[in-house]
Amino acid sequence: MKVLMLNGSSRAKGNTYTALHAVGEQLEKEGIQYEIVQIGADPVRDCIGCGRCNENGCIFTDDAVNAFIAKAKEADGFVFGTPVYYAHPSGRILSFLDRVFYSSSRLFRFRPGASVTVARRGGMTASFDCLNKYFGISQMPVAGSTYWNMVHGAMPGEAAMDEEGLQTMRNLARNLAWMMKCFAAGKENGIPLPETETGNRTNFIR
């Protein structure tokens, strides 16, 4: 089993990476592989609602969105991490995930996910709530922890000093691993996935 993570920071080895890495280290102790995908500092275009998504994902191929989608096909769980900018996730992770989920949300159904936020002080619960909406609309069970999934740190390296935050990351990893193993056991024992109704799209605006 494998967890695919997304680092929404432009800093490859900053505090968001530290938080995700703490999750990953604990996952490995639970017998689960992980990979952290770095969005990086290059521009990430927004979804423009063109409706030209294809089997590979987004029609635009000038960034890492489709490469992430290809990796998602083989993943059993997901963790999205972001620094906090003005009480909100980074713009790059939202642009990235908008295109990932708009084009390929079917790949994420019934696979557990979790979000992680990192900030100097405030705005983390709002950012946490924002990222969790991707899970809720895509039939993804959400893994929790013993506190909201957040780690404090401003300057590089400070996240490693937040002992409670790192404890929260380790407990998140344990819970995520447990969920993935339960789902695998259910599949092995013939428990089918829930049926999904489609077709009804109420629109009162004329």
Side-chain angles (χ1 to χ4, degrees):
M1 286 186 284
K2 182 176 180 179
V3 170
L4 184 62
M5 303 190 193
L6 183 64
N7 182 359
S9 172
S10 59
R11 297 175 179 172
K13 293 296 180 72
N15 288 317
T16 304
Y17 172 86
T18 298
L20 293 175
H21 184 64
V23 175
E25 284 187 319
Q26 186 62 44
L27 285 172
E28 287 187 329
K29 293 178 181 178
E30 304 293 328
I32 294 176
Q33 297 178 322
Y34 78 98
E35 178 182 358
I36 299 175
V37 173
Q38 309 282 354
I39 290 181
D42 292 334
V44 178
R45 70 167 71 233
D46 291 329
C47 177
I48 60 172
C50 66
R52 298 171 66 192
C53 310
N54 55 49
E55 65 276 6
N56 296 319
C58 183
I59 189 68
F60 298 107
T61 59
D62 52 356
D63 53 31
V65 165
N66 288 348
F68 182 83
I69 290 170
K71 292 177 182 289
K73 294 177 181 179
E74 308 299 325
D76 303 288
F78 301 90
V79 179
F80 304 148
T82 184
V84 175
Y85 299 158
Y86 294 96
H88 209 251
S90 70
R92 64 184 49 254
I93 196 172
L94 295 182
S95 295
F96 195 98
L97 289 177
D98 279 355
R99 287 169 54 213
V100 166
F101 278 85
Y102 192 88
S103 66
S104 306
S105 63
R106 66 194 182 281
L107 300 176
F108 297 85
R109 292 174 185 164
F110 309 115
R111 302 184 191 185
S115 58
V116 169
T117 62
V118 179
R120 180 189 69 83
R121 186 171 178 86
M124 289 193 285
T125 53
S127 299
F128 180 65
D129 175 67
C130 184
L131 290 186
N132 283 344
K133 288 181 170 63
Y134 290 102
F135 308 135
I137 200 172
S138 303
Q139 295 179 283
M140 296 176 67
V142 179
S145 187
T146 45
Y147 196 73
W148 291 286
N149 303 335
M150 55 183 64
V151 179
H152 286 87
M155 301 302 295
E158 288 184 347
M161 301 166 61
D162 183 2
E163 294 183 6
E164 183 179 3
L166 296 180
Q167 173 182 271
T168 302
M169 297 299 103
R170 292 190 295 270
N171 287 332
L172 169 62
R174 293 183 180 100
N175 294 342
L176 181 59
W178 177 80
M179 290 175 70
M180 292 166 60
K181 292 173 183 178
C182 286
F183 294 163
K187 183 177 180 180
E188 291 172 2
N189 285 277
I191 300 175
L193 295 174
E195 293 184 6
T196 300
E197 291 188 31
T198 60
N200 292 320
R201 303 191 68 176
T202 302
N203 185 357
F204 293 105
I205 301 175
R206 296 288 185 266

